[in-house]
mmCIF file of all heavy atoms in Angstrom:
data_model
loop_
_atom_site.group_PDB
_atom_site.id
_atom_site.type_symbol
_atom_site.label_atom_id
_atom_site.label_comp_id
_atom_site.label_asym_id
_atom_site.label_seq_id
_atom_site.Cartn_x
_atom_site.Cartn_y
_atom_site.Cartn_z
ATOM 1 N N SER H 253 12.730 13.296 4.438
ATOM 2 C CA SER H 253 14.147 13.030 4.700
ATOM 3 C C SER H 253 14.892 12.722 3.411
ATOM 4 O O SER H 253 16.003 13.204 3.182
ATOM 5 C CB SER H 253 14.240 11.880 5.695
ATOM 6 O OG SER H 253 15.583 11.534 5.885
ATOM 7 N N ARG H 256 15.489 15.796 1.374
ATOM 8 C CA ARG H 256 16.590 16.572 1.935
ATOM 9 C C ARG H 256 17.925 16.036 1.479
ATOM 10 O O ARG H 256 18.811 16.758 1.046
ATOM 11 C CB ARG H 256 16.538 16.531 3.466
ATOM 12 C CG ARG H 256 15.678 17.590 4.097
ATOM 13 C CD ARG H 256 16.038 17.770 5.552
ATOM 14 N NE ARG H 256 15.739 16.582 6.334
ATOM 15 C CZ ARG H 256 14.561 16.351 6.916
ATOM 16 N NH1 ARG H 256 13.599 17.220 6.798
ATOM 17 N NH2 ARG H 256 14.371 15.271 7.623
ATOM 18 N N ARG H 280 32.488 12.596 12.010
ATOM 19 C CA ARG H 280 31.820 12.390 13.285
ATOM 20 C C ARG H 280 32.775 11.864 14.311
ATOM 21 O O ARG H 280 33.458 10.881 14.083
ATOM 22 C CB ARG H 280 30.673 11.429 13.116
ATOM 23 C CG ARG H 280 29.420 12.212 13.022
ATOM 24 C CD ARG H 280 28.253 11.334 13.194
ATOM 25 N NE ARG H 280 27.124 12.071 12.692
ATOM 26 C CZ ARG H 280 26.013 11.504 12.303
ATOM 27 N NH1 ARG H 280 25.894 10.218 12.341
ATOM 28 N NH2 ARG H 280 25.041 12.240 11.890
ATOM 29 N N ARG H 287 25.416 10.276 20.597
ATOM 30 C CA ARG H 287 24.588 11.387 20.082
ATOM 31 C C ARG H 287 23.144 11.261 20.583
ATOM 32 O O ARG H 287 22.546 12.236 20.996
ATOM 33 C CB ARG H 287 24.623 11.393 18.541
ATOM 34 C CG ARG H 287 25.950 11.864 17.980
ATOM 35 C CD ARG H 287 26.038 11.599 16.497
ATOM 36 N NE ARG H 287 25.082 12.389 15.722
ATOM 37 C CZ ARG H 287 25.330 13.599 15.250
ATOM 38 N NH1 ARG H 287 26.490 14.177 15.456
ATOM 39 N NH2 ARG H 287 24.432 14.238 14.558
ATOM 40 N N GLN H 296 15.174 16.156 27.976
ATOM 41 C CA GLN H 296 14.711 16.136 29.360
ATOM 42 C C GLN H 296 14.690 17.535 29.957
ATOM 43 O O GLN H 296 13.896 17.828 30.830
ATOM 44 C CB GLN H 296 15.616 15.247 30.216
ATOM 45 C CG GLN H 296 15.608 13.786 29.821
ATOM 46 C CD GLN H 296 14.217 13.174 29.908
ATOM 47 O OE1 GLN H 296 13.464 13.469 30.823
ATOM 48 N NE2 GLN H 296 13.876 12.342 28.957
ATOM 49 N N ASP H 300 8.069 21.777 29.186
ATOM 50 C CA ASP H 300 7.062 20.773 28.778
ATOM 51 C C ASP H 300 6.500 21.005 27.396
ATOM 52 O O ASP H 300 6.343 20.078 26.608
ATOM 53 C CB ASP H 300 5.907 20.765 29.780
ATOM 54 C CG ASP H 300 6.326 20.145 31.105
ATOM 55 O OD1 ASP H 300 7.443 19.608 31.150
ATOM 56 O OD2 ASP H 300 5.555 20.195 32.071
ATOM 57 N N ARG H 301 6.182 22.274 27.117
ATOM 58 C CA ARG H 301 5.507 22.569 25.863
ATOM 59 C C ARG H 301 6.408 22.259 24.669
ATOM 60 O O ARG H 301 5.989 21.631 23.720
ATOM 61 C CB ARG H 301 5.078 24.034 25.834
ATOM 62 C CG ARG H 301 4.269 24.381 24.633
ATOM 63 C CD ARG H 301 3.580 25.717 24.808
ATOM 64 N NE ARG H 301 4.538 26.797 24.764
ATOM 65 C CZ ARG H 301 4.403 27.867 23.992
ATOM 66 N NH1 ARG H 301 3.364 27.971 23.220
ATOM 67 N NH2 ARG H 301 5.304 28.805 24.011
ATOM 68 N N ARG H 302 7.704 22.673 24.772
ATOM 69 C CA ARG H 302 8.589 22.420 23.653
ATOM 70 C C ARG H 302 8.824 20.918 23.470
ATOM 71 O O ARG H 302 8.890 20.414 22.370
ATOM 72 C CB ARG H 302 9.928 23.148 23.828
ATOM 73 C CG ARG H 302 10.690 23.196 22.521
ATOM 74 C CD ARG H 302 12.029 23.867 22.634
ATOM 75 N NE ARG H 302 11.908 25.144 23.323
ATOM 76 C CZ ARG H 302 12.857 25.633 24.108
ATOM 77 N NH1 ARG H 302 13.977 24.975 24.286
ATOM 78 N NH2 ARG H 302 12.696 26.787 24.706
ATOM 79 N N ARG H 310 8.650 14.646 16.078
ATOM 80 C CA ARG H 310 9.662 13.624 15.823
ATOM 81 C C ARG H 310 9.162 12.205 16.085
ATOM 82 O O ARG H 310 9.520 11.283 15.382
ATOM 83 C CB ARG H 310 10.920 13.889 16.651
ATOM 84 C CG ARG H 310 11.692 15.136 16.269
ATOM 85 C CD ARG H 310 12.297 15.070 14.880
ATOM 86 N NE ARG H 310 11.292 15.245 13.863
ATOM 87 C CZ ARG H 310 11.197 14.485 12.780
ATOM 88 N NH1 ARG H 310 12.036 13.517 12.561
ATOM 89 N NH2 ARG H 310 10.270 14.715 11.893
ATOM 90 N N ASN H 316 4.353 20.305 10.827
ATOM 91 C CA ASN H 316 4.256 21.475 11.714
ATOM 92 C C ASN H 316 2.825 21.974 11.848
ATOM 93 O O ASN H 316 2.389 22.368 12.923
ATOM 94 C CB ASN H 316 5.134 22.618 11.182
ATOM 95 C CG ASN H 316 6.591 22.209 11.142
ATOM 96 O OD1 ASN H 316 7.007 21.318 11.864
ATOM 97 N ND2 ASN H 316 7.364 22.861 10.278
ATOM 98 N N ARG H 321 -2.086 22.477 15.108
ATOM 99 C CA ARG H 321 -3.517 22.224 15.248
ATOM 100 C C ARG H 321 -3.796 21.474 16.567
ATOM 101 O O ARG H 321 -4.718 21.779 17.294
ATOM 102 C CB ARG H 321 -4.020 21.399 14.073
ATOM 103 C CG ARG H 321 -5.522 21.476 13.848
ATOM 104 C CD ARG H 321 -5.968 20.575 12.735
ATOM 105 N NE ARG H 321 -5.843 19.161 13.081
ATOM 106 C CZ ARG H 321 -6.757 18.508 13.800
ATOM 107 N NH1 ARG H 321 -7.812 19.110 14.256
ATOM 108 N NH2 ARG H 321 -6.571 17.237 14.102
ATOM 109 N N THR H 323 -2.012 21.356 19.287
ATOM 110 C CA THR H 323 -1.640 22.016 20.534
ATOM 111 C C THR H 323 -2.263 23.393 20.672
ATOM 112 O O THR H 323 -2.126 24.031 21.707
ATOM 113 C CB THR H 323 -0.111 22.152 20.649
ATOM 114 O OG1 THR H 323 0.377 22.738 19.425
ATOM 115 C CG2 THR H 323 0.556 20.814 20.849
ATOM 116 N N GLU H 327 1.315 28.015 13.693
ATOM 117 C CA GLU H 327 2.365 27.199 13.094
ATOM 118 C C GLU H 327 3.710 27.879 13.262
ATOM 119 O O GLU H 327 4.734 27.224 13.470
ATOM 120 C CB GLU H 327 2.047 26.953 11.616
ATOM 121 C CG GLU H 327 2.808 25.776 11.074
ATOM 122 C CD GLU H 327 2.975 25.805 9.579
ATOM 123 O OE1 GLU H 327 2.110 26.355 8.889
ATOM 124 O OE2 GLU H 327 3.982 25.271 9.114
ATOM 125 N N ARG H 331 7.135 26.240 14.699
ATOM 126 C CA ARG H 331 8.412 26.287 13.960
ATOM 127 C C ARG H 331 9.534 26.885 14.789
ATOM 128 O O ARG H 331 10.621 26.350 14.868
ATOM 129 C CB ARG H 331 8.238 27.123 12.688
ATOM 130 C CG ARG H 331 7.665 26.389 11.526
ATOM 131 C CD ARG H 331 8.198 26.944 10.221
ATOM 132 N NE ARG H 331 7.955 28.359 10.104
ATOM 133 C CZ ARG H 331 6.844 28.871 9.588
ATOM 134 N NH1 ARG H 331 5.884 28.084 9.161
ATOM 135 N NH2 ARG H 331 6.681 30.174 9.499
ATOM 136 N N LYS H 332 9.212 28.011 15.418
ATOM 137 C CA LYS H 332 10.214 28.723 16.217
ATOM 138 C C LYS H 332 10.687 27.830 17.366
ATOM 139 O O LYS H 332 11.883 27.698 17.610
ATOM 140 C CB LYS H 332 9.582 30.017 16.757
ATOM 141 C CG LYS H 332 10.528 30.886 17.552
ATOM 142 C CD LYS H 332 11.539 31.526 16.651
ATOM 143 C CE LYS H 332 12.840 31.773 17.429
ATOM 144 N NZ LYS H 332 13.939 32.145 16.556
ATOM 145 N N LYS H 342 21.985 20.644 18.762
ATOM 146 C CA LYS H 342 23.201 20.823 17.972
ATOM 147 C C LYS H 342 24.336 21.379 18.849
ATOM 148 O O LYS H 342 25.455 20.894 18.829
ATOM 149 C CB LYS H 342 22.922 21.778 16.806
ATOM 150 C CG LYS H 342 24.139 22.184 15.987
ATOM 151 C CD LYS H 342 24.663 21.038 15.145
ATOM 152 C CE LYS H 342 25.720 21.472 14.133
ATOM 153 N NZ LYS H 342 26.987 21.867 14.747
ATOM 154 N N ARG H 343 24.023 22.376 19.658
ATOM 155 C CA ARG H 343 25.055 23.019 20.504
ATOM 156 C C ARG H 343 25.555 22.033 21.554
ATOM 157 O O ARG H 343 26.739 22.014 21.884
ATOM 158 C CB ARG H 343 24.490 24.262 21.180
ATOM 159 C CG ARG H 343 23.878 25.243 20.202
ATOM 160 C CD ARG H 343 24.590 26.547 20.049
ATOM 161 N NE ARG H 343 24.405 27.041 18.688
ATOM 162 C CZ ARG H 343 23.626 28.077 18.349
ATOM 163 N NH1 ARG H 343 23.007 28.758 19.281
ATOM 164 N NH2 ARG H 343 23.516 28.439 17.094
ATOM 165 N N GLU H 353 37.613 15.951 22.441
ATOM 166 C CA GLU H 353 38.794 16.052 21.560
ATOM 167 C C GLU H 353 40.080 16.266 22.359
ATOM 168 O O GLU H 353 40.075 16.989 23.337
ATOM 169 C CB GLU H 353 38.610 17.218 20.589
ATOM 170 C CG GLU H 353 38.076 16.729 19.266
ATOM 171 C CD GLU H 353 37.977 17.850 18.237
ATOM 172 O OE1 GLU H 353 37.751 19.005 18.627
ATOM 173 O OE2 GLU H 353 38.127 17.568 17.061
ATOM 174 N N THR Q 226 34.375 22.612 15.978
ATOM 175 C CA THR Q 226 35.823 22.626 15.997
ATOM 176 C C THR Q 226 36.406 22.157 14.666
ATOM 177 O O THR Q 226 37.611 22.159 14.470
ATOM 178 C CB THR Q 226 36.340 21.693 17.117
ATOM 179 O OG1 THR Q 226 35.565 20.510 17.058
ATOM 180 C CG2 THR Q 226 36.182 22.357 18.463
ATOM 181 N N GLU Q 247 24.058 28.739 11.944
ATOM 182 C CA GLU Q 247 23.202 27.679 12.504
ATOM 183 C C GLU Q 247 21.787 28.177 12.778
ATOM 184 O O GLU Q 247 20.817 27.486 12.481
ATOM 185 C CB GLU Q 247 23.799 27.151 13.804
ATOM 186 C CG GLU Q 247 24.679 25.961 13.620
ATOM 187 C CD GLU Q 247 25.332 25.532 14.922
ATOM 188 O OE1 GLU Q 247 24.887 26.018 15.983
ATOM 189 O OE2 GLU Q 247 26.261 24.740 14.855
ATOM 190 N N LEU Q 255 13.071 24.371 9.462
ATOM 191 C CA LEU Q 255 11.669 24.196 9.871
ATOM 192 C C LEU Q 255 10.706 24.764 8.831
ATOM 193 O O LEU Q 255 9.606 24.281 8.682
ATOM 194 C CB LEU Q 255 11.425 24.836 11.229
ATOM 195 C CG LEU Q 255 11.626 23.967 12.461
ATOM 196 C CD1 LEU Q 255 10.828 22.680 12.341
ATOM 197 C CD2 LEU Q 255 13.094 23.603 12.695
ATOM 198 N N ASP Q 258 10.170 22.386 5.298
ATOM 199 C CA ASP Q 258 9.267 21.238 5.382
ATOM 200 C C ASP Q 258 7.823 21.638 5.600
ATOM 201 O O ASP Q 258 6.924 20.818 5.596
ATOM 202 C CB ASP Q 258 9.704 20.324 6.526
ATOM 203 C CG ASP Q 258 10.767 19.358 6.050
ATOM 204 O OD1 ASP Q 258 10.980 19.301 4.832
ATOM 205 O OD2 ASP Q 258 11.376 18.701 6.892
ATOM 206 N N SER Q 259 7.617 22.928 5.839
ATOM 207 C CA SER Q 259 6.308 23.400 6.225
ATOM 208 C C SER Q 259 5.356 23.522 5.048
ATOM 209 O O SER Q 259 5.795 23.720 3.921
ATOM 210 C CB SER Q 259 6.443 24.766 6.850
ATOM 211 O OG SER Q 259 6.044 24.735 8.158
ATOM 212 N N ASP Q 261 3.354 26.021 4.671
ATOM 213 C CA ASP Q 261 3.244 27.385 4.178
ATOM 214 C C ASP Q 261 4.581 27.961 3.696
ATOM 215 O O ASP Q 261 4.865 29.133 3.830
ATOM 216 C CB ASP Q 261 2.525 28.315 5.156
ATOM 217 C CG ASP Q 261 3.239 28.451 6.496
ATOM 218 O OD1 ASP Q 261 4.438 28.153 6.559
ATOM 219 O OD2 ASP Q 261 2.593 28.856 7.442
ATOM 220 N N SER Q 289 20.568 15.827 10.104
ATOM 221 C CA SER Q 289 20.996 14.561 10.673
ATOM 222 C C SER Q 289 20.392 14.372 12.064
ATOM 223 O O SER Q 289 19.849 13.314 12.388
ATOM 224 C CB SER Q 289 22.514 14.546 10.736
ATOM 225 O OG SER Q 289 22.957 13.422 11.391
ATOM 226 N N TRP Q 291 17.742 15.784 13.225
ATOM 227 C CA TRP Q 291 16.290 15.647 13.035
ATOM 228 C C TRP Q 291 15.903 14.217 12.759
ATOM 229 O O TRP Q 291 14.958 13.679 13.327
ATOM 230 C CB TRP Q 291 15.893 16.558 11.870
ATOM 231 C CG TRP Q 291 14.431 16.861 11.746
ATOM 232 C CD1 TRP Q 291 13.630 16.487 10.723
ATOM 233 C CD2 TRP Q 291 13.629 17.627 12.633
ATOM 234 N NE1 TRP Q 291 12.361 16.976 10.934
ATOM 235 C CE2 TRP Q 291 12.335 17.678 12.099
ATOM 236 C CE3 TRP Q 291 13.872 18.268 13.851
ATOM 237 C CZ2 TRP Q 291 11.291 18.351 12.735
ATOM 238 C CZ3 TRP Q 291 12.833 18.933 14.477
ATOM 239 C CH2 TRP Q 291 11.571 18.964 13.905
ATOM 240 N N ASP Q 292 16.641 13.566 11.848
ATOM 241 C CA ASP Q 292 16.348 12.167 11.500
ATOM 242 C C ASP Q 292 16.647 11.232 12.664
ATOM 243 O O ASP Q 292 15.904 10.293 12.916
ATOM 244 C CB ASP Q 292 17.141 11.751 10.263
ATOM 245 C CG ASP Q 292 16.589 12.392 8.998
ATOM 246 O OD1 ASP Q 292 15.482 12.971 9.066
ATOM 247 O OD2 ASP Q 292 17.262 12.337 7.961
ATOM 248 N N GLU Q 293 17.749 11.500 13.349
ATOM 249 C CA GLU Q 293 18.108 10.651 14.489
ATOM 250 C C GLU Q 293 17.022 10.690 15.569
ATOM 251 O O GLU Q 293 16.710 9.675 16.164
ATOM 252 C CB GLU Q 293 19.434 11.109 15.106
ATOM 253 C CG GLU Q 293 20.646 10.658 14.336
ATOM 254 C CD GLU Q 293 21.889 11.351 14.868
ATOM 255 O OE1 GLU Q 293 22.453 10.862 15.854
ATOM 256 O OE2 GLU Q 293 22.296 12.371 14.303
ATOM 257 N N ASN Q 306 9.231 15.774 33.893
ATOM 258 C CA ASN Q 306 10.424 16.391 34.430
ATOM 259 C C ASN Q 306 10.081 17.669 35.179
ATOM 260 O O ASN Q 306 9.646 18.644 34.606
ATOM 261 C CB ASN Q 306 11.397 16.687 33.280
ATOM 262 C CG ASN Q 306 12.660 17.298 33.781
ATOM 263 O OD1 ASN Q 306 12.947 17.260 34.970
ATOM 264 N ND2 ASN Q 306 13.415 17.871 32.885
ATOM 265 N N SER Q 309 11.953 21.069 34.560
ATOM 266 C CA SER Q 309 11.752 21.847 33.340
ATOM 267 C C SER Q 309 11.200 23.235 33.595
ATOM 268 O O SER Q 309 11.547 24.179 32.914
ATOM 269 C CB SER Q 309 10.850 21.084 32.380
ATOM 270 O OG SER Q 309 9.602 20.908 32.951
ATOM 271 N N VAL Q 316 15.530 29.424 29.625
ATOM 272 C CA VAL Q 316 15.344 29.153 28.207
ATOM 273 C C VAL Q 316 14.718 30.350 27.506
ATOM 274 O O VAL Q 316 15.101 30.696 26.391
ATOM 275 C CB VAL Q 316 14.481 27.892 28.028
ATOM 276 C CG1 VAL Q 316 14.104 27.723 26.567
ATOM 277 C CG2 VAL Q 316 15.253 26.687 28.506
ATOM 278 N N GLN Q 320 16.093 32.288 24.353
ATOM 279 C CA GLN Q 320 15.344 32.471 23.109
ATOM 280 C C GLN Q 320 15.431 33.899 22.638
ATOM 281 O O GLN Q 320 15.626 34.175 21.479
ATOM 282 C CB GLN Q 320 13.880 32.118 23.345
ATOM 283 C CG GLN Q 320 13.592 30.639 23.169
ATOM 284 C CD GLN Q 320 12.168 30.325 23.536
ATOM 285 O OE1 GLN Q 320 11.478 31.144 24.106
ATOM 286 N NE2 GLN Q 320 11.735 29.144 23.197
ATOM 287 N N TYR Q 369 -3.961 30.031 24.532
ATOM 288 C CA TYR Q 369 -4.171 28.992 23.533
ATOM 289 C C TYR Q 369 -5.656 28.879 23.214
ATOM 290 O O TYR Q 369 -6.487 29.188 24.046
ATOM 291 C CB TYR Q 369 -3.709 27.620 24.049
ATOM 292 C CG TYR Q 369 -2.308 27.624 24.584
ATOM 293 C CD1 TYR Q 369 -2.083 27.928 25.917
ATOM 294 C CD2 TYR Q 369 -1.219 27.350 23.775
ATOM 295 C CE1 TYR Q 369 -0.801 27.941 26.438
ATOM 296 C CE2 TYR Q 369 0.054 27.349 24.262
ATOM 297 C CZ TYR Q 369 0.269 27.645 25.597
ATOM 298 O OH TYR Q 369 1.535 27.660 26.098
ATOM 299 N N TYR Q 371 -8.500 26.123 21.421
ATOM 300 C CA TYR Q 371 -8.725 24.782 20.896
ATOM 301 C C TYR Q 371 -10.155 24.669 20.400
ATOM 302 O O TYR Q 371 -11.060 25.139 21.066
ATOM 303 C CB TYR Q 371 -8.517 23.733 21.999
ATOM 304 C CG TYR Q 371 -7.183 23.818 22.678
ATOM 305 C CD1 TYR Q 371 -7.011 24.572 23.821
ATOM 306 C CD2 TYR Q 371 -6.080 23.121 22.176
ATOM 307 C CE1 TYR Q 371 -5.787 24.655 24.454
ATOM 308 C CE2 TYR Q 371 -4.849 23.197 22.792
ATOM 309 C CZ TYR Q 371 -4.705 23.965 23.932
ATOM 310 O OH TYR Q 371 -3.491 24.048 24.551
ATOM 311 N N GLU Q 377 -15.766 15.214 16.049
ATOM 312 C CA GLU Q 377 -14.336 15.085 16.341
ATOM 313 C C GLU Q 377 -14.114 15.198 17.855
ATOM 314 O O GLU Q 377 -14.512 16.156 18.476
ATOM 315 C CB GLU Q 377 -13.541 16.202 15.645
ATOM 316 C CG GLU Q 377 -12.054 16.113 15.894
ATOM 317 C CD GLU Q 377 -11.292 17.384 15.533
ATOM 318 O OE1 GLU Q 377 -11.925 18.426 15.320
ATOM 319 O OE2 GLU Q 377 -10.077 17.329 15.468
ATOM 320 N N ARG Q 379 -11.089 15.283 20.630
ATOM 321 C CA ARG Q 379 -9.622 15.430 20.622
ATOM 322 C C ARG Q 379 -9.055 15.573 22.028
ATOM 323 O O ARG Q 379 -9.591 16.315 22.842
ATOM 324 C CB ARG Q 379 -9.254 16.662 19.807
ATOM 325 C CG ARG Q 379 -7.779 16.695 19.465
ATOM 326 C CD ARG Q 379 -7.296 18.052 19.077
ATOM 327 N NE ARG Q 379 -8.115 18.663 18.071
ATOM 328 C CZ ARG Q 379 -8.033 19.959 17.786
ATOM 329 N NH1 ARG Q 379 -7.199 20.744 18.423
ATOM 330 N NH2 ARG Q 379 -8.797 20.459 16.859
#
Side-chain angles (χ1 to χ4, degrees):
Chain H
S253 176
R256 272 199 295 272
R280 261 194 197 159
R287 288 169 65 89
Q296 297 301 321
D300 288 352
R301 185 166 71 130
R302 195 181 311 147
R310 293 295 75 225
N316 299 336
R321 200 184 69 81
T323 50
E327 200 203 331
R331 277 211 304 272
K332 183 71 210 169
K342 173 72 170 69
R343 306 247 149 108
E353 264 184 329
Chain Q
T226 44
E247 267 176 13
L255 270 307
D258 274 349
S259 243
D261 62 20
S289 174
W291 195 245
D292 288 348
E293 282 170 84
N306 181 14
S309 63
V316 171
Q320 274 175 348
Y369 308 89
Y371 306 91
E377 181 195 14
R379 194 199 309 166

